[in-house]
Amino acid sequence: MMYRVQLQDFEGPLDLLLLLINRNEIDIFDIPIAQITNEYLSYVELIEAIDLDGVAEFIYFAALLISVKARMLLPSPEEDEEGDPIDPRQEIVERLLEYVQYKNAAETLDEQFKQRSLLFTRGQASTPVQSMMPEQDILVKRTVFDLIDTLRDVLENAPEEPTISIAPQKHSIAEQCEYIRNAVFAQEQISFSSMVMGKTRYFIVVTFLAALEMAYSGEVFVSSAPDGEDFVIERAAGQAFMG
Amino acid sequence: MKQERFDNSVTLQMVLEALAFATDVPVSAKEVCRVYAEVVGEASQPSEAAIDEAFRELNDSYEIGGHTMRIQYWAGGLRMTTTESVAPFLEAFFRRERRRHLTKPLMETLAIVAYKQPATKAEIDAVRGVDSGYALRKLLELNLLAIFGRADIIGRPMLYATTERFLEEFGLKNLDELPNLRQAEELLGDAAFNEERTRLLMAKGLDMGDGDPPSATSESKSKS
Amino acid sequence: MKQERFDNSVTLQMVLEALAFATDVPVSAKEVCRVYAEVVGEASQPSEAAIDEAFRELNDSYEIGGHTMRIQYWAGGLRMTTTESVAPFLEAFFRRERRRHLTKPLMETLAIVAYKQPATKAEIDAVRGVDSGYALRKLLELNLLAIFGRADIIGRPMLYATTERFLEEFGLKNLDELPNLRQAEELLGDAAFNEERTRLLMAKGLDMGDGDPPSATSESKSKS
């Protein structure tokens, strides 16, 4: 099945690593690699299981983490040309540090962009503003991984066998989009768990993907509580429903 | 196209104002000087310093006069815009419901190119940890990035760089005006961090690392 | 999406000014009132008489302040334009702009025809050292050149000459007004006809774009 939504449109593997580091209040220069690898893998497994697109890069980092973990267990440390010990975590730390820098630069630039867009030049009426920025912002408060946390909790309590069987014809993403659309049209906002209460695992997963899809296209706003226990889907402000 | 006699009372400041108003691209100081000299007569070619002064005086006079126009120095040129204070009214008029916005993947990709330029896709992908092909295509389409040429390495990959339009859309006079790239240690709230210390920590970390309890981590953090 | 608090110090006059500036279609007084009321709060809907007053006050303050903008109140509504006094400067600017859009092959070909006319393609090719077929077709299309007739030599090749439009667009009364012919002959005799020299040759007003819409629009804008 082809989804328009790619996981990496929301967050990438480095975002997941940073999230885990922040959540566990870990010193980035001294990452407990076994713990982080396990946590990281638990997300990747779920992402794979629900068949969310764009998982390849997550798997690449999973492999990298596993290899670092293995090298940490070597009896004698690897050394560089000068005989100094090499920390196997070095590459990951350096990449995280560099990424943090550019993430911050992106935020700074975003702020600059917003400030600048308060200043109007002449002829603004004839230049369609939309042509400049054709893309909707993805309407997810907090991160997609918080949503995945919710999904995990909901799936654990779902009344079905632990394997997620994919039966493509049962519920399509399009059908589940319509389901969400009707729900938020009727009550403005609805919690994810209440929408999928007592439903099958397959129903839960497809509804989840539909919610991501709609958040991606800016149709709904998805926000999750800090504890990650549930998330709320609400109609995006000013969003006209096109049926 | 008949050439009118120019009016003697027209000053450089007025020409600058009229050009900054009438054009839809930033006009360089040099261009203003040329135009002024061309009409008034070759002898009178003004200095760029005179433009600078005119530019400042104009903005002062708008402010004093309670006017909503300002002249900006963007992308190496001068351009007239409105002030921030009237933005809500203009937004209401244009019914601009949503501020212009670049999605996170686009903004990250743009930031990496802005600071590393010229940069290859491989370099950008490496920083982000994901494929930036879509983001790059989109940014090229938006004319915020352009192909700068090809790198002189194997495969001769394309090099990406930011455009004049980028400078204009972000309100920058030139690339030197990009905000300083903040150091990661600063961002992580670790002012005392330096390279020496990383190396130390890295070396020390060799005998811990594996599944070490949170207390050890928080301890090393508090030391930092 | 988030609606900022509007700035209390923004007056109706400022809103009118900003709208007249930022749009390039006339804005009706009613619309200005609507936008003002929408942002400030329904209760404050201003009267059209207030708009009239703001409009007059603005123009007075531009005049007193020595500014080159004026707000016009035409049938369609309010819009900002430049004063007549700066028109020659704007025209000079937009001519220069168009020249920048004129490609080097077109500029060379046009210059050669201007001085050698009537000229055959073979003569032009000989000076430029390359085939000028495309440039000639383009210049014919732009109505800057026309077929003058056929040369009375073998093959009876077509003869190219400049048009009235050429004179008009380049601000020349007649062909005698072309820059110094001796200087031009020197240039034309030189196979290494470079861009700088072309520019020199064209400098006296031999500047003309390839009729591309953007410059055409910006010019009509400046006049409006």
Side-chain angles (χ1 to χ4, degrees), chain C residues 44-223:
Chain C
S44 339
Q45 172 105 22
S47 68
E48 287 192 30
I51 295 279
D52 258 2
E53 200 195 324
F55 153 72
R56 265 192 300 271
E57 276 176 12
L58 275 170
N59 279 339
D60 286 350
S61 94
Y62 296 146
E63 198 159 348
I64 292 162
H67 294 297
T68 58
M69 291 89 62
R70 291 293 180 276
I71 295 180
Q72 313 290 339
Y73 204 163
W74 291 330
L78 299 139
R79 68 189 303 193
M80 196 182 276
T81 66
T82 49
T83 54
E84 262 178 54
S85 62
V86 290
F89 298 88
L90 290 170
E91 276 169 22
F93 173 80
F94 288 113
R95 266 203 311 272
R96 297 185 71 91
E97 273 291 282
R98 272 175 308 181
R99 180 172 60 200
R100 228 184 283 168
H101 294 174
L102 184 71
T103 62
K104 190 181 156 215
L106 291 192
M107 231 152 98
E108 282 181 7
T109 307
L110 190 57
I112 294 161
V113 176
Y115 286 98
K116 278 193 175 280
Q117 59 186 308
T120 65
K121 179 172 174 298
E123 286 174 296
I124 301 158
D125 288 352
V127 176
R128 294 190 59 221
V130 294
D131 185 274
S132 303
Y134 172 79
L136 284 169
R137 275 197 305 281
K138 197 81 205 160
L139 291 166
L140 288 174
E141 247 172 55
L142 294 172
N143 199 19
L144 292 171
L145 293 185
I147 307 284
F148 184 77
R150 284 178 182 276
D152 209 6
I153 53 174
I154 282 175
R156 296 189 49 73
M158 286 190 280
L159 287 165
Y160 296 87
T162 56
T163 58
E164 288 286 308
R165 166 117 193 249
F166 164 80
L167 293 175
E168 188 187 320
E169 290 291 350
F170 288 40
L172 299 170
K173 235 179 270 164
N174 51 51
L175 287 174
D176 297 337
E177 279 200 347
L178 278 171
N180 191 318
L181 198 55
R182 197 184 58 81
Q183 187 190 2
E185 266 166 3
E186 271 168 36
L187 286 170
L188 292 170
D190 185 354
F193 197 69
N194 65 37
E195 206 179 344
E196 202 37 57
R197 286 171 154 182
T198 314
R199 205 166 283 139
L200 245 167
L201 179 66
M202 302 300 254
K204 283 292 171 272
L206 279 180
D207 39 25
M208 170 56 201
D210 41 3
D212 45 22
S215 48
T217 27
S218 37
E219 205 220 345
S220 59
K221 223 185 262 173
S222 76
K223 282 192 288 199

Side-chain angles (χ1 to χ4, degrees), chain A residues 16 30 37 41-42 51 54 84 108-109 141 157-158 167 171 174 189 193 198 229 231 234:
Chain A
L16 177 53
D30 191 17
T37 304
L41 285 174
S42 74
D51 200 22
D84 293 324
T108 310
L109 279 182
K141 200 177 153 208
N157 300 319
H171 306 281
Q189 68 167 52
S193 61
E229 248 172 42
F231 63 83
E234 56 191 306

Side-chain angles (χ1 to χ4, degrees), chain A:
Chain A
M1 180 175 274
M2 282 290 289
Y3 305 127
R4 197 155 51 85
V5 177
Q6 288 263 334
L7 183 54
Q8 66 197 37
D9 290 331
F10 293 85
E11 314 276 343
L14 288 164
D15 293 302
L16 177 53
L17 276 174
L18 285 173
L19 177 80
L20 297 178
I21 286 167
N22 286 334
R23 196 182 274 173
N24 295 312
E25 298 190 338
I26 287 167
D27 181 349
I28 198 167
F29 302 112
D30 191 17
I31 300 170
I33 203 78
Q35 180 198 338
I36 288 295
T37 304
N38 289 341
E39 286 192 34
Y40 184 91
L41 285 174
S42 74
Y43 281 90
V44 174
E45 278 158 18
L46 189 62
I47 293 163
E48 264 190 294
I50 65 176
D51 200 22
L52 186 54
D53 262 9
V55 76
E57 282 118 347
F58 284 83
I59 293 171
Y60 168 80
F61 270 84
L64 185 62
L65 285 169
I66 291 165
S67 96
V68 170
K69 188 174 140 187
R71 282 156 63 204
M72 297 288 288
L73 297 170
L74 289 178
S76 56
E78 296 160 68
E79 292 178 347
D80 64 18
E81 300 109 31
E82 279 146 37
D84 293 324
I86 301 171
D87 190 320
R89 296 171 296 181
Q90 192 164 338
E91 184 198 339
I92 285 180
V93 173
E94 280 169 1
R95 290 191 68 171
L96 283 171
L97 290 179
E98 188 175 29
Y99 185 54
V100 164
Q101 262 194 315
Y102 285 105
K103 252 172 99 81
N104 176 261
E107 281 162 25
T108 310
L109 279 182
D110 192 39
E111 205 38 57
Q112 185 117 14
F113 188 64
K114 282 185 191 136
Q115 279 305 110
R116 155 67 181 88
S117 74
L118 293 174
L119 311 181
F120 285 67
T121 55
R122 256 184 92 227
Q124 212 97 38
S126 58
T127 6
V129 176
Q130 278 71 18
S131 76
M132 174 62 193
M133 295 303 129
E135 306 218 329
Q136 293 273 9
D137 199 18
I138 296 170
L139 300 182
V140 175
K141 200 177 153 208
R142 300 172 65 78
T143 79
V144 73
F145 304 116
D146 293 304
L147 307 182
I148 289 172
D149 285 340
T150 303
L151 179 67
R152 194 201 323 262
D153 292 346
V154 173
L155 283 177
E156 267 166 21
N157 300 319
E160 225 177 85
E161 286 300 291
T163 48
I164 300 160
S165 61
I166 305 293
Q169 304 308 334
K170 271 208 298 201
H171 306 281
S172 71
I173 300 239
E175 273 166 19
Q176 292 316 94
C177 284
E178 196 53 38
Y179 175 67
I180 294 173
R181 206 169 278 137
N182 289 333
V184 296
F185 190 72
Q187 22 187 320
E188 293 285 324
Q189 68 167 52
I190 187 161
S191 88
F192 178 70
S193 61
S194 73
M195 281 193 78
V196 297
M197 184 109 61
K199 303 286 189 181
T200 66
R201 297 175 144 269
Y202 185 76
F203 184 94
I204 296 168
V205 168
V206 179
T207 308
F208 177 82
L209 293 173
L212 280 193
E213 171 102 27
M214 290 168 81
Y216 182 76
S217 64
E219 191 174 343
V220 296
F221 189 80
V222 178
S223 55
S224 106
D227 58 14
E229 248 172 42
D230 199 355
F231 63 83
V232 169
I233 306 168
E234 56 191 306
R235 220 189 303 176
Q239 179 70 45
F241 276 72
M242 315 289 241

